[in-house]
Amino acid sequence: MDFKEAVSCLVSDIQSYNKNLNEKLLREAFEFGRVAHDGQTRSNGDPYYSHCVAVAKNLAGKKMDTDTIITALLHDTVEDTKVNSEEITKLFGQDVANLVAGVTKLEALENISEVSKQAKNFRKLLLAMSEDIRVLLVKLSDRLHNIQTLHHIAKPEKRIRIATETMEIHVPLAELIGIRDWKEEMEDICFNTINPDAHSSIVGRLKFISKEQGDNIVTNVVKELDDLMTEHKIKNEISGRKKTPYSIWRKMQKKDIGFEQLSDIMAFRIVVDSVDDCYRVLGLIHATYRLVPGRFKDYISLPKKNNYRSLHTGVIGPAGQRVEIQIRTKEMHEFAELGVAAHWSYKSGDKESIVKEGKNYRWLRELLEIVEHSNSDDEVMSDTKMEMYAENVFVFSPKGDIVNLPKMATPIDFAYSIHSGVGNKTIGARINGKVMPLKTELKNGDQVEIITQSNAEPKEAWKNIVVSGKARSAIRRFIRNKRRDEYVEHGKSLLMRTFKSAGFDLTEKDIKFLTEKYDYKEPEMFFVAVGDGTRGVNESLYAVHPEARETDKKTKETPPPELNKGKVASKGKSSLIGGLPDDMVIRFPKCCHAIPGDKIVGVVSTGQGISIHNVRCKEVLKEHDIQNSSIDLYWRDELIDKEKVIENVNFVARINVLASNKPGALNSITTVILNLGVNLSDLKIVSRSSDFWDVNIDLEVKSVGKLTEVMASLRMSNDIISVTRL
Ligand code: MN
């Protein structure tokens, strides 16, 4: 990179939107950064500083203020060069120094797990963001460039690790702050890195559709829409594009659709002058083209969590294709493109308003609250990821206030979103005036009223019913405080027994070692984690005495032959389920094949133990009527989230596949399944006509996540018409 040219180019980029740029200062910062990184290179051999310049350029593209762009140029100096914070303060001011410090990762985090490092850095980032939200813009721009250059990293595992982290943390943050194009670009590259097969078949399919429809299809539709607007004298700007492979993949995973039905691959945007015009255009479109049911969304009346506003609709558009149309005003459009940056960027250079802006984000406050009250790094990451999950459902309070919750939220999530005090005292809920179970999934527009009782307490099973990180974190906190003493006791004696039976004493030194190794603030917290099952007791034993693992393996290698498979497996399985009474035998009845990730309920039948059903299973109602004793159960997600699901314990899920009766169709089904490393335990042909195969397949999986992946991959095969879970 020619740095002389680069700096001039950057200056003219900024001057195009900011006439008051302090050019001298910017050039000084540029030179300062260049000298500091001199001699360092990126993995492709480019000078390291080219990365900092690219990060600055991205931010200039978002019309950011000078301090932010200077920060971009210097963002890696403190972490990777001899420069220190004092120097930056002296030369470029306190604000820039604080911003750089905010972007800098914690140094020297050694001897702790990857998730602990991630959690500690994430906590630091959130705190810095709450001081000054511009830190997030620099961080995202930095990540965007690292993702754009991800292919230069040689090791595939490293690429996948970075892509996964980006998907889990940076993509949702970009969504929350409303920078759509960065979000989409990161998503697509990460998707291609993590799942190259799926990516390439979607790209292939898109090419095929384009060929069928003709290359000018987007232009043609734009023209037809434009004619319609002109005819009705509505001033507007229309643009159209193909959807990204990742957004198509998401849709295939979420909805039960196959590639064949996936004609909806184009999106159009109509930008008009006023809110009135938005609704006029909407009326016009609906009057002219046939509506696709379920696709209309009014984000003007009910903005998204990140304040995004727009009308969305889906119609069978010009040329008989399904298309998505977004209608919005110029202001809404600016916000949709620039996100939060639209509000302040270079215009309001004053720091006060920016700081205030950051404090206004409810999502940021809620993330901070979770981080501050979490007990361990695992909890920080799992609860915040849950909270960042972007899709929403809108419900109403009894007074008519809109409450914005994650999709599939329950009345319990609603209660906790009001206040954790309300959540903790909840005993019931009225939805649209009717008393409904607390695990009911809320739908858009529901009116929800919470029934509380002053001496009520949250139930442990709620942890797995709720879908908001805020609710889960609050429930954990309550239960932890209440059960703490109990768990300390239990955890400690469990450890002592386990150590003893392996022939060791549990010493003070061991306790100190384990507390530090697993990163708990104090030994009591470690005992609690062992007591409530978050931290495995054998894992702790092996950490101190690795030789014990060998002995254990040997004794386990030869299981008694006729201790039948079912019993051994269900023992393993019962340890994954929370809320079970002691020493009960569990069964997984064939009616619904519940697997980790499903919401579950247990039905107790005398002499037969507990059968574990999916809450949606119709058999539950029948059994429940007769026996009248069901118990709330939940998957111990802390064991499942991290794929710590016990080795060799698999769950059987049944799916139905409808495939065209072509040679090789069955073979392609099994190939897809086996390629994903999933075992196929049974395949039954339900019927076979001249056109179709109708088959039921039993798959051995560890969780719903894997099952969804299998189903989505099957749907991409050209021979497969539909895939449904049974
Ligand atoms: Mn960087």
Side-chain angles (χ1 to χ4, degrees):
M1 182 183 268
D2 177 350
F3 287 126
K4 276 218 176 81
E5 202 182 302
V7 68
S8 304
C9 181
L10 185 61
V11 165
S12 73
D13 275 5
I14 303 170
Q15 277 169 341
S16 72
Y17 63 86
N18 182 0
K19 297 280 172 267
N20 305 318
L21 168 71
N22 183 342
E23 186 180 337
K24 188 167 158 282
L25 190 69
L26 187 93
R27 283 179 181 275
E28 276 167 21
F30 192 100
E31 194 53 19
F32 182 85
R34 191 190 66 73
V35 171
H37 286 289
D38 198 31
Q40 298 174 345
T41 48
R42 301 266 293 167
S43 47
N44 64 344
D46 280 355
Y48 189 88
Y49 195 54
S50 61
H51 161 68
C52 309
V53 176
V55 175
K57 228 175 139 54
N58 284 340
L59 288 163
K62 294 289 172 205
K63 304 188 181 176
M64 293 304 302
D65 65 301
T66 316
D67 278 356
T68 308
I69 291 170
I70 289 179
T71 302
L73 293 170
L74 307 180
H75 78 272
D76 278 330
T77 52
V78 175
E79 199 169 317
D80 298 333
T81 76
K82 290 191 181 115
V83 171
N84 62 36
S85 212
E86 287 74 47
E87 269 175 277
I88 295 182
T89 313
K90 217 170 80 201
L91 292 168
F92 306 105
Q94 193 63 50
D95 279 4
V96 171
N98 289 346
L99 284 165
V100 171
V103 180
T104 303
K105 286 212 281 290
L106 292 165
E107 56 183 326
L109 290 176
E110 278 164 26
N111 293 325
I112 59 171
S113 68
E114 206 48 52
V115 66
S116 289
K117 269 184 221 169
Q118 209 180 44
K120 288 191 164 47
N121 278 311
F122 187 58
R123 186 191 306 248
K124 179 175 180 291
L125 175 65
L126 285 176
L127 287 170
M129 277 157 58
S130 70
E131 295 293 319
D132 190 334
I133 192 74
R134 291 178 295 182
V135 167
L136 177 57
L137 273 288
V138 180
K139 196 84 190 174
L140 289 176
S141 175
D142 176 41
R143 183 53 66 125
L144 174 66
H145 185 252
N146 286 334
I147 289 296
Q148 285 166 336
T149 53
L150 191 62
H151 57 277
H152 292 307
I153 292 177
K155 278 198 193 135
E157 318 87 74
K158 192 173 175 194
R159 284 201 301 268
I160 289 175
R161 184 171 58 72
I162 296 174
T164 309
E165 182 186 72
T166 306
M167 278 300 222
E168 290 178 342
I169 297 173
H170 303 87
V171 164
L173 285 173
E175 160 81 25
L176 283 167
I177 205 169
I179 306 187
R180 189 184 48 82
D181 55 342
W182 289 7
K183 173 191 157 234
E184 285 180 356
E185 191 175 347
M186 286 194 281
E187 255 174 8
D188 224 49
I189 300 171
C190 293
F191 171 43
N192 191 15
T193 307
I194 297 167
N195 201 338
D197 290 347
H199 190 272
S200 68
S201 44
I202 290 176
V203 171
R205 175 78 187 166
L206 285 176
K207 273 197 194 129
F208 174 77
I209 297 176
S210 305
K211 226 187 236 158
E212 263 190 345
Q213 294 175 340
D215 288 335
N216 298 327
I217 178 99
V218 171
T219 337
N220 294 345
V221 175
V222 166
K223 176 148 193 328
E224 193 169 327
L225 289 172
D226 192 46
D227 290 346
L228 184 68
M229 300 298 127
T230 318
E231 191 187 321
H232 291 83
K233 301 192 173 59
I234 300 172
K235 228 177 100 196
N236 73 90
E237 268 168 52
I238 301 180
S239 59
R241 64 187 182 111
K242 296 238 168 74
K243 292 182 179 172
T244 64
Y246 182 72
S247 68
I248 292 171
W249 167 250
R250 282 267 305 177
K251 186 168 285 173
M252 290 178 59
Q253 284 192 309
K254 262 190 330 206
K255 296 192 183 143
D256 213 7
I257 50 167
F259 234 163
E260 289 297 327
Q261 292 139 285
L262 198 85
S263 50
D264 175 14
I265 58 159
M266 287 179 290
F268 297 86
R269 187 156 51 232
I270 307 180
V271 177
V272 295
D273 285 340
S274 67
V275 173
D276 268 8
D277 280 353
C278 289
Y279 289 100
R280 274 181 69 205
V281 169
L282 179 75
L284 216 51
I285 301 242
H286 284 180
T288 315
Y289 305 106
R290 192 153 59 80
L291 181 73
V292 178
R295 298 296 305 278
F296 170 60
K297 296 208 179 75
D298 186 341
Y299 293 120
I300 294 181
S301 177
L302 296 173
K304 282 194 190 180
K305 200 175 191 168
N306 63 12
N307 288 325
Y308 170 89
R309 298 163 78 212
S310 185
L311 299 175
H312 288 191
T313 190
V315 293
I316 310 291
Q321 298 294 335
R322 265 182 188 223
V323 296
E324 182 180 308
I325 299 178
Q326 304 173 349
I327 309 160
R328 55 176 83 138
T329 66
K330 287 200 184 83
E331 290 71 35
M332 293 173 199
H333 183 56
E334 191 181 27
F335 186 79
E337 292 298 300
L338 291 179
V340 60
H343 279 179
W344 33 273
S345 63
Y346 70 99
K347 286 175 239 162
S348 71
D350 87 284
K351 198 190 155 208
E352 288 310 300
S353 69
I354 294 165
V355 170
K356 242 176 68 203
E357 182 79 36
K359 297 230 151 66
N360 281 335
Y361 297 125
R362 191 183 156 124
W363 57 264
L364 183 51
R365 286 203 309 271
E366 288 179 348
L367 287 177
L368 276 167
E369 194 180 311
I370 292 173
V371 163
E372 275 160 21
H373 289 114
S374 286
N375 197 34
S376 70
D377 293 328
D378 288 346
E379 277 182 26
V380 168
M381 291 325 290
S382 73
D383 291 351
T384 48
K385 277 179 205 161
M386 195 171 178
E387 185 65 28
M388 289 194 293
Y389 190 68
E391 279 182 86
N392 299 314
V393 48
F394 297 95
V395 299
F396 294 94
S397 75
K399 283 181 193 153
D401 296 331
I402 294 168
V403 179
N404 193 332
L405 297 168
K407 255 199 186 141
M408 291 165 67
T410 63
I412 308 171
D413 291 287
F414 175 86
Y416 278 99
S417 83
I418 302 171
H419 192 273
S420 55
V422 176
N424 287 340
K425 303 251 164 292
T426 299
I427 55 158
R430 273 186 209 99
I431 301 176
N432 304 323
K434 244 170 79 186
V435 175
M436 296 292 281
L438 283 174
K439 52 178 101 175
T440 311
E441 234 176 80
L442 296 176
K443 306 238 157 28
N444 271 319
D446 279 347
Q447 190 185 53
V448 190
E449 185 187 340
I450 294 298
I451 308 166
T452 58
Q453 199 176 71
S454 59
N455 58 356
E457 284 179 0
K459 295 204 174 55
E460 182 127 25
W462 291 1
K463 264 191 344 197
N464 284 59
I465 296 172
V466 299
V467 297
S468 56
K470 186 183 176 181
R472 191 163 75 174
S473 161
I475 295 165
R476 276 193 220 245
R477 201 151 72 229
F478 183 93
I479 290 171
R480 188 159 56 229
N481 291 340
K482 181 171 158 23
R483 297 254 180 107
R484 203 186 140 97
D485 297 344
E486 215 174 291
Y487 277 145
V488 168
E489 221 23 49
H490 180 56
K492 196 168 175 182
S493 82
L494 201 62
L495 279 164
M496 280 168 42
R497 265 186 286 146
T498 309
F499 273 62
K500 194 146 206 179
S501 72
F504 302 101
D505 280 330
L506 178 70
T507 64
E508 286 302 317
K509 218 179 109 206
D510 297 342
I511 296 171
K512 188 163 174 281
F513 168 77
L514 289 166
T515 305
E516 276 166 21
K517 175 180 167 63
Y518 296 132
D519 205 33
Y520 293 100
K521 285 180 205 134
E522 51 191 54
E524 274 69 31
M525 287 193 173
F526 167 59
F527 292 142
V528 170
V530 173
D532 73 6
T534 317
R535 182 62 64 188
V537 59
N538 282 328
E539 178 195 350
S540 309
L541 171 67
Y542 302 152
V544 184
H545 303 289
E547 66 275 21
R549 185 193 295 274
E550 292 310 308
T551 339
D552 274 10
K553 253 195 209 150
K554 270 186 205 134
T555 45
K556 275 177 195 158
E557 252 161 29
T558 44
E562 266 323 298
L563 221 168
N564 73 57
K565 230 170 111 194
K567 261 191 192 154
V568 173
S570 55
K571 181 107 181 62
K573 285 175 184 174
S574 64
S575 70
L576 298 175
I577 297 175
L580 281 173
D582 282 343
D583 294 328
M584 285 287 253
V585 181
I586 59 167
R587 297 186 294 130
F588 288 86
K590 295 239 186 298
C591 47
C592 55
H593 292 282
I595 63 176
D598 290 330
K599 290 183 184 177
I600 50 173
V601 61
V603 177
V604 185
S605 8
T606 333
Q608 289 193 43
I610 300 180
S611 43
I612 314 291
H613 290 268
N614 192 318
V615 289
R616 291 193 178 145
C617 178
K618 292 191 182 79
E619 296 295 316
V620 174
L621 290 175
K622 278 193 222 157
E623 281 196 41
H624 183 89
D625 271 353
I626 308 160
Q627 307 289 343
N628 202 21
S629 65
S630 73
I631 44 175
D632 280 342
L633 299 176
Y634 56 93
W635 294 104
R636 302 246 310 268
D637 60 330
E638 60 274 15
L639 299 178
I640 288 151
D641 276 357
K642 289 170 289 178
E643 294 276 322
K644 272 195 191 159
V645 187
I646 304 169
E647 251 181 284
N648 299 326
V649 172
N650 280 306
F651 293 83
V652 175
R654 180 168 294 175
I655 58 173
N656 174 270
V657 178
L658 203 59
S660 47
N661 187 359
K662 276 190 228 151
L666 276 190
N667 191 28
S668 73
I669 295 175
T670 50
T671 311
V672 168
I673 295 171
L674 296 177
N675 278 350
L676 288 164
V678 170
N679 212 8
L680 189 155
S681 64
D682 197 9
L683 187 150
K684 270 202 192 80
I685 295 167
V686 182
S687 67
R688 182 184 181 178
S689 67
S690 56
D691 305 330
F692 301 120
W693 289 93
D694 184 355
V695 288
N696 284 347
I697 299 175
D698 287 352
L699 299 169
E700 289 180 12
V701 291
K702 292 204 187 293
S703 68
V704 165
K706 193 73 191 178
L707 181 64
T708 317
E709 197 185 327
V710 173
M711 290 171 63
S713 302
L714 283 173
R715 284 185 196 122
M716 287 193 317
S717 158
N718 278 329
D719 299 333
I720 291 172
I721 296 143
S722 77
V723 184
T724 34
R725 172 129 185 240
L726 294 178

